[in-house]
Amino acid sequence: MYHEFFGLKEAPFRITPDTGFFFSGGERGAVLQGLIYAIAQGEGIIKVTGEVGSGKTMLCWMLEQHLPDDVETVYLANPNVKPDDVLPSILAELALPHPSNASRAEHLRSLNNYLLTRHDAGKRVIMFVEEAQGMTLDTLEEIRLLSNLETEREKLLQIVLFGQPELDDKLADTRIRQLRERITTAINLTPLSADDIRAYLAFRLTTAGYRGADLFDRNAVRRIARASRGLTRRVNILADKTLLAAYADNTRQIRPRHIHSALRDSAFNDSARPTAHWRWPVAALTIILAVLVGFYALAKIQSMPVPAAPVIAHVPAAASAPAQAAVATDPLAQTLAASRLWLDQQPADTHTLQLALLKNPAELAALVRSAGTGLARDQVHLFHTQAQGRPSWAVMYGSYPDKQAANLALRNLPNVLQQRQPYLRTVAGIRNEIRQIQQLETQS
């Protein structure tokens, strides 16, 4: 919205990681080089910790880009994965057979054979484990056991753990001390200092095409540093809202009131309090945008009303006429049926984006409405899953032939969806997750 006003070619402060905006200051560049070196050594487990929004995902993506061509990466991104499901999940991500009736030993043999084949071909495999702090001790121990896969001289699987500081608390537990002892490189992403943030803001603006004097003076940087606590995601949110407030005020000079508006409009700003002194340009702009988006969304989503009753997730081909009629007239049921068909037809290595986890499938309509024109309705897929042991609904979006295309689509999602921290999934991984959920439901 404010891009042309400030002479920008693109959004400078997206919260979705974009490797073109990687900031090497604040020791991030040194950390990246340290990780590349540690992986090149091929020994032990690597651990990277940092607060929410400190840049772990950006670092992970940069690391993947800078690894040699002979390195293959696999992601274990579901913190709720159970110990027995670790191996099937890895095999699914590698697009390897993983029959549900196979034993753990058989799954382990399949993985070991694959790793040996890659090793013989001069290739290496690295597993990135994200949100490791959310995994149970038993799951972490299962991951540790995979580090035993090795030849006489080399590890067959390199493991990199990414997690929040709570991961260190779990690793302090004596029950998984063997995992802690195998960590040979431990890196902590510290918050950016005020000076780092000043350089960070200038770097992001310049990268986005800005040419001119510094938009954020030292006072503005100091206030952003204090409110953000040095976390890059918070810095991005505050900087974006500040520029929007200045744009609404029709000025290219950042004033204290613009910072105040950004702070007041940020959910993480605990010190912010509701105030009656709203600047009318910001309020008027917000109202106009809300009305325009509302009218457009209403026209686009009116065919997708929120159902008053629970919806059947899957209707067999031999379903009764009333059931088929219900699917034909219920947009949400159509989405569920179409999603299942899409999942069955896609190649296993197809990539998609997980946009959100919903508590109720009826929330999908509101999610699509919030995205406005940013989503193609026929590319939205909905699946039953579990989160923290509770029934949930995973919203996927799009079909992409490879990780590069999926990453590009991820960066172009509307800001309202980027704030939900979407991430990449594979069709094989989704199928495996659904199969595990169905097995659990059958057992219960």
Side-chain angles (χ1 to χ4, degrees), residues 176 390 409:
I176 55 170
R390 298 179 180 178

Side-chain angles (χ1 to χ4, degrees), residues 177-352:
R177 61 184 181 277
Q178 292 188 63
L179 171 59
R180 185 174 64 251
E181 292 298 325
R182 297 210 180 180
I183 295 175
T184 57
T185 302
I187 294 174
N188 180 49
L189 292 182
T190 57
L192 299 180
S193 67
D195 287 340
D196 291 333
I197 291 174
R198 183 180 179 86
Y200 176 82
L201 293 169
F203 166 77
R204 300 277 299 207
L205 286 166
T206 301
T207 303
Y210 176 74
R211 300 295 182 268
D214 287 346
L215 290 176
F216 296 88
D217 62 21
R218 291 193 177 278
N219 180 54
V221 170
R222 191 161 48 248
R223 297 189 67 179
I224 289 176
R226 184 168 56 250
S228 68
R229 297 179 183 176
L231 302 177
T232 53
R233 183 180 300 154
R234 290 186 174 191
V235 172
N236 287 347
I237 292 172
L238 289 172
D240 177 74
K241 292 181 182 295
T242 298
L243 292 182
L244 180 60
Y247 166 74
D249 218 6
N250 197 32
T251 178
R252 291 180 176 82
Q253 285 190 307
I254 302 300
R255 305 289 189 185
R257 62 178 178 270
H258 304 139
I259 301 288
H260 178 71
S261 176
L263 291 172
R264 181 182 56 206
D265 195 33
S266 300
F268 57 78
N269 181 33
D270 298 334
S271 63
R273 291 291 183 269
T275 175
H277 302 290
W278 287 84
R279 295 291 300 178
W280 71 265
V282 178
L285 181 62
T286 303
I287 293 172
I288 291 172
L289 287 174
V291 171
L292 290 177
V293 171
F295 274 117
Y296 185 87
L298 185 60
K300 289 285 288 181
I301 312 300
Q302 61 181 349
S303 62
M304 190 179 174
V306 176
V311 181
I312 301 174
H314 179 69
V315 178
S320 64
Q324 292 177 342
V327 172
T329 58
D330 189 332
L332 196 50
Q334 291 175 359
T335 298
L336 290 163
S339 299
R340 190 69 205 189
L341 181 62
W342 171 83
L343 190 65
D344 291 341
Q345 293 178 342
Q346 294 297 317
D349 59 352
T350 296
H351 285 69
T352 188

Side-chain angles (χ1 to χ4, degrees), residues 6 19 35 88 103 115 139 143 169 192 194 212 223 254 282 339 350 361 391:
F6 286 102
T19 53
L35 284 172
S103 66
L115 295 176
T139 297
I143 292 172
D169 296 334
L192 299 180
R223 297 189 67 179
I254 302 300
V282 178
S339 299
T350 296

Side-chain angles (χ1 to χ4, degrees), residues 24-43:
S24 60
E27 300 183 349
R28 267 38 177 190
V31 167
L32 176 61
Q33 293 305 315
L35 284 172
I36 294 172
Y37 175 80
I39 288 175
Q41 300 307 301
E43 295 182 0

